[in-house]
Amino acid sequence: MSTNLAAAKRIMVALDYAEAKQAESLVRSLEGIPCYLKVGMQLFYSAGPAFVRMLKEKGYNVFLDLKMHDIPNTVKGGAESITKLGVDMFNVHAAGGKQMMEAAMEGVDKAIQAASGPKPLVIGVTQLTSTSQAVMNEEIGIEGTVEDAVIRYARLAQAARLQGVVASPLEVVRIKETCGSGFVTVTPGIRPAGADIGDQSRVMTPEQAFAQGTDYIVIGRPITAAPDPRATLEAIIASVEGL
């Protein structure tokens, strides 16, 4: 099939593997499809910066999903190091507060000034898509609805100069209404029709998520655990063409 380039570039395939060899096998199977690739904690802690550099050398856009959450100075240093890697996007926890997120942006600016490389999108994690309202209220200790908490974090992230947030597709419409259409939304919790929702609580299909107006969707196990990951990704791309 001929790949719809615009749609492919808005789909992030989560490389949720323990080792580089496993991830490299998937990347080879997807060769020629210009999707985004998401590198999370497990793979990054195992394979390190060299793996990210390899993906960039192959021409992929990379979202480094480490969800930094620490004191501002530590996050500033982390953001500087990540920016020097040349990733296209990375995230920090909005729960770390405005000062911490501002420090992340300072780290990005410092790296850009020193190396004159590309400037990554920095996005804030609002509420994980595995978090239900009961967990948020009773265990995390945040009152109100998940949507209200997400919107509060989105406003805070925007005030700190972040370019967008990670949120479930259920909150995309309100985020765009509150922060503007140019404020980027990245939505995990995406499951093609009929797929197992696993440990996710707030999910949508790819078609539904793009219809809500999100900019990027993140899909992991439905692709990586499929008998034919390439065919699965191509089918998803075809299903969202034009949305």
Side-chain angles (χ1 to χ4, degrees):
M1 62 169 282
S2 60
T3 301
N4 182 295
L5 298 182
K9 289 177 179 179
R10 298 175 65 195
I11 297 173
M12 297 180 166
V13 178
L15 301 179
D16 293 332
Y17 293 102
E19 298 178 358
K21 286 184 178 180
Q22 298 168 303
E24 288 168 357
S25 177
L26 179 79
V27 172
R28 283 194 298 272
S29 76
L30 302 181
E31 187 174 350
I33 302 177
C35 56
Y36 236 101
L37 295 179
K38 184 178 83 71
V39 177
M41 294 180 189
Q42 185 178 23
L43 182 57
F44 188 76
Y45 294 161
S46 170
F51 183 81
V52 173
R53 293 191 186 99
M54 180 274 291
L55 294 179
K56 290 304 302 175
E57 288 170 2
K58 288 182 177 293
Y60 284 101
N61 285 338
V62 176
F63 170 25
L64 188 55
D65 179 21
L66 299 184
K67 301 180 179 72
M68 288 194 293
H69 188 173
D70 212 312
I71 63 172
N73 194 56
T74 298
V75 170
K76 178 180 178 179
E80 181 181 356
S81 296
I82 288 172
T83 301
K84 289 177 180 177
L85 267 181
V87 304
D88 302 273
M89 183 184 297
F90 71 91
N91 57 6
V92 300
H93 263 291
K98 184 182 177 185
Q99 185 181 0
M100 188 205 78
M101 289 189 281
E102 289 174 335
M105 298 309 298
E106 290 170 7
V108 169
D109 291 341
K110 184 177 180 182
I112 295 299
Q113 290 168 5
S116 299
K119 189 170 186 176
L121 290 174
V122 185
I123 58 177
V125 179
T126 55
Q127 285 293 334
L128 301 178
T129 50
S130 58
T131 302
S132 65
Q133 183 167 325
V135 168
M136 190 186 78
N137 294 160
E138 299 166 17
E139 299 179 20
I140 301 175
I142 297 175
E143 297 181 353
T145 67
V146 170
E147 185 176 83
D148 286 342
V150 167
I151 297 304
R152 184 168 61 251
Y153 281 139
R155 285 195 180 109
L156 193 65
Q158 188 173 48
R161 293 198 298 129
L162 270 63
Q163 294 97 336
V165 289
V166 183
S168 95
L170 280 70
E171 292 96 40
V172 167
V173 171
R174 274 200 65 193
I175 291 170
K176 296 289 189 177
E177 289 174 349
T178 302
C179 299
S181 60
F183 194 65
V184 173
T185 54
V186 177
T187 50
I190 304 300
R191 292 290 185 269
D196 183 2
I197 67 170
D199 56 1
Q200 302 289 348
S201 292
R202 307 190 324 278
V203 302
M204 279 189 185
T205 66
E207 300 95 317
Q208 290 170 332
F210 280 134
Q212 293 296 304
T214 197
D215 298 287
Y216 299 96
I217 60 173
V218 180
I219 308 177
R221 284 163 286 185
I223 293 173
T224 60
D228 187 341
R230 185 184 185 90
T232 300
L233 176 56
E234 288 179 334
I236 292 170
I237 292 169
S239 75
V240 299
E241 185 172 358
L243 293 177

